[in-house]
Amino acid sequence: MNVLRRHELWVLLLLGMTLYLVYTPIAELCFRDDMLTLPERAWFTDDLAWLKHLLSHAQSRYTFSGDSILFRPGLMFMIWLQEMLGRHNRQLLEGISLLVSGMTAYTFYHIYQKISGYKPIAALFALFIILTNAEISYWPHINPYMMGMALFAWGVWLFHHAHRKQRPEKRFRLIVGSTLLLFCSTLFHEFTAISLAMVLGYTLISNPFRNRYGVPTIVLAAGVPLLLYSGLALWSLIPTSQMSGRIVAGKATTAHADHSLIDLIQHLISQFLPGISNAYKALFPGDGRYLLFGLIVLLTVLFVVLFSRIKKPHPFRADPLLSNGMLLFSLAALFTILAGSLFGRGMAIGAIAGWYFTMTIAFLLIPVCHIVAYVVRQEHRILRRMFLVIMALWTVPTLATNAATIKLWRHQAQLQTQIPYQMVQDVTEYLERHPAYCLGGLFPAPSSPAIWSRTPHHFPYTQPTTMEDQLRYGRLIDYHMPSMTLLLQRHFCGQRLGRPLYAEIQQSNNGSASMRLLKESQQAYTAPGPHVLQSIETTARVRAQHVSVPYVPNIHGSNRQDQSKSIHVTHSWRISPGMEEIAWRVQSSDRDPIMFNSALYFDRERDSMVLHMLNNHLLVSLNNPHHGLINVGIHPMARMRRDARLRIREVGKGCLAFLDEVVVARIPSCQLAGEVHLLQWENGTPAERLTAGTERQIQPEERWYSRLKPLLNKHYEAS
């Protein structure tokens, strides 16, 4: 084994140990974009149909639309493949993500050390790939971006070295390999395709670049992947959804670009120099940020001028900037990512995702390695040593700070998800051993703490909370209930056949919890059959009130700003005294029911309640004396049907909401009494409707809890 291979093994060991020490223990649930993508499985029971829907998801998605010009089939295929491996097994999926991150970091290490010729600096630079942003390293949903980065880097590397080969057949094989790698990279993120287009455009005006690599080589390596990707992307823009009656009235926001630019500059600087953000704020207050941006532009120009004058060769050939293919592709990728972050996400939503900082730094370090190569080969030994010491003092504290921050955050996350994740594994294991059952729902036990009355509680998966708050208010399970539902989605009734099995979770205020798996015993109903709810005339008070729904996301471009103004009460009923179950029939004339047209408003003076059927979710909002109507839960529906039955059943001091036989949500402090009104809005989806409201009185021997038989009872303690 030669020295180079031994050194590469040591680098792989360094990357692997860093990932292991920083990112373990692994115990994460679904969050953020998972909650916007994975719920759409509710409309599919066939794996291939689900894959077809995902491949062009930005164009065919039913909910949370808006990024319709994006086309990332490689990313979506990896998400589908992860589900085939087991969506519930997050430890396996995160382990695979960390492996991909390590191999991507090694890819860039190989390039860094070939450019700089200095292995220790290249190894430190490679650590930036896995320590700049934690999410892209371990989160299965976006980790495939790493694959796109690695494929692009290897493709450019092969392109750059192909022109050195004297034998035409070997050069042709390298160019074909470069073409395939670059095309595959375009399937994971569009920044690679835009970078190829920039290089092709530059070829038209650069004689040195054309002369060095040759027009046929450039066209084959950059033009063919761009052409193939463009064809697939244009094909994906053809509407694939057959939904009718969808209203498109969305508005884009362009007021955040300047703020996003500041955030990006600050974050990039803070990733390289710990604590520099505070110094930046002190040195450049107010409009001084434009001075900082101008300074960065000036330094960039100086770098271009300086590098274009470098003539002294080294192992990578430090050629002038305009003819160096590796550097040119890297700068094209760098500028594309920066422009996309600032003027794409920044202008659209006013925020920049953290994983774009990893992409930026990965390609930014390539020109930095050219500077390293130029300096370390200078004859002035003292200057060279001073430069290397400065580089070490720059990189080591930054990497150590980032690693410690990520480790602390991961440890806190593992404490929060330990119990819910173990519950998911136990339910999955039981259902796999008992194929005659399907999951009929997860819900907190009636005696669990009523968290909504203690603190204003908004969306569980979008509003972060501390571990102490979760333990104090018994929120540990409530916070993760939507995520647990999505991890178990394939096992729900409707997604698989079988008798319903219910998971009742009892949580306490000390961090412990218990779970019972219950089956419904076969017992004949003895109470009279249901009868139609008493229809009443909608009161003027309710008509004038135009009850607002607390939250309406962007569904097929619907206008959020005007949502509350378009809500109307279309039907009203009065619940008879003593009724313990009411039900409606939910029907859709659409192929894919979205349920973006209805909400039930239970009008009571002191404890009003809104059940909002939003896409494939049920939002529960209760009246709080201090905050009005607040959201106390958003619950995914694991299976959507064109004809279903929505039931609200009173259980103890609360209620359970059923969609057919599946429990969708537990509603705390719920009482079936008074009036209930059907709310609908003009720019919703008129294909869905609620009809034939019914009610029934349940005898003691028929009560739902009395028919449940426990099959498994397990207690959990947070370690």
Side-chain angles (χ1 to χ4, degrees), residues 40-106:
E40 293 204 6
R41 174 72 198 222
W43 284 281
F44 303 93
T45 56
D46 180 68
D47 291 334
L48 292 181
W50 174 231
L51 172 62
K52 180 181 177 182
H53 178 73
L54 282 178
L55 288 178
S56 56
H57 189 245
Q59 294 75 39
S60 62
R61 66 190 307 168
Y62 301 147
T63 61
F64 298 96
S65 62
D67 295 331
S68 56
I69 63 172
L70 302 182
F71 182 61
R72 301 167 182 173
L75 169 69
M76 305 314 295
F77 175 78
M78 293 303 297
I79 291 176
W80 178 83
L81 187 60
Q82 291 166 8
E83 184 157 328
M84 296 302 100
L85 293 175
R87 184 193 293 184
H88 64 280
N89 195 346
R90 299 294 285 187
Q91 291 189 347
L92 172 63
L93 299 183
E94 288 192 21
I96 295 175
S97 298
L98 293 179
L99 178 62
V100 171
S101 301
M103 296 309 298
T104 302
Y106 172 75

Side-chain angles (χ1 to χ4, degrees), residues 249 251 253 558-565:
K251 294 182 179 179
T253 302
S558 299
N559 193 335
R560 287 175 285 181
Q561 289 78 6
D562 299 334
Q563 189 65 50
S564 60
K565 300 178 182 178

Side-chain angles (χ1 to χ4, degrees), residues 223-275:
V224 173
L226 180 62
L227 181 64
L228 293 175
Y229 174 80
S230 300
L232 290 175
L234 290 175
W235 173 80
S236 72
L237 292 177
I238 301 174
T240 58
S241 176
Q242 304 299 320
M243 294 177 294
S244 59
R246 302 298 182 235
I247 307 300
V248 179
K251 294 182 179 179
T253 302
T254 58
H256 304 286
D258 180 61
H259 183 66
S260 299
L261 176 62
I262 301 168
D263 288 344
L264 180 61
I265 294 174
Q266 280 190 245
H267 195 101
L268 285 176
I269 295 176
S270 64
Q271 288 296 328
F272 281 103
L273 294 175

Side-chain angles (χ1 to χ4, degrees), residues 255-318:
H256 304 286
D258 180 61
H259 183 66
S260 299
L261 176 62
I262 301 168
D263 288 344
L264 180 61
I265 294 174
Q266 280 190 245
H267 195 101
L268 285 176
I269 295 176
S270 64
Q271 288 296 328
F272 281 103
L273 294 175
I276 198 66
S277 295
N278 293 329
Y280 153 76
K281 294 177 182 178
L283 293 174
F284 302 99
D287 291 338
R289 58 182 178 265
Y290 299 112
L291 177 62
L292 177 63
F293 180 65
L295 180 62
I296 293 176
V297 173
L298 177 62
L299 291 176
T300 303
V301 173
L302 289 176
F303 165 74
V304 172
V305 174
L306 172 66
F307 198 84
S308 64
R309 297 178 62 86
I310 296 177
K311 301 299 183 181
K312 184 177 180 179
H314 58 75
F316 187 71
R317 277 185 63 86

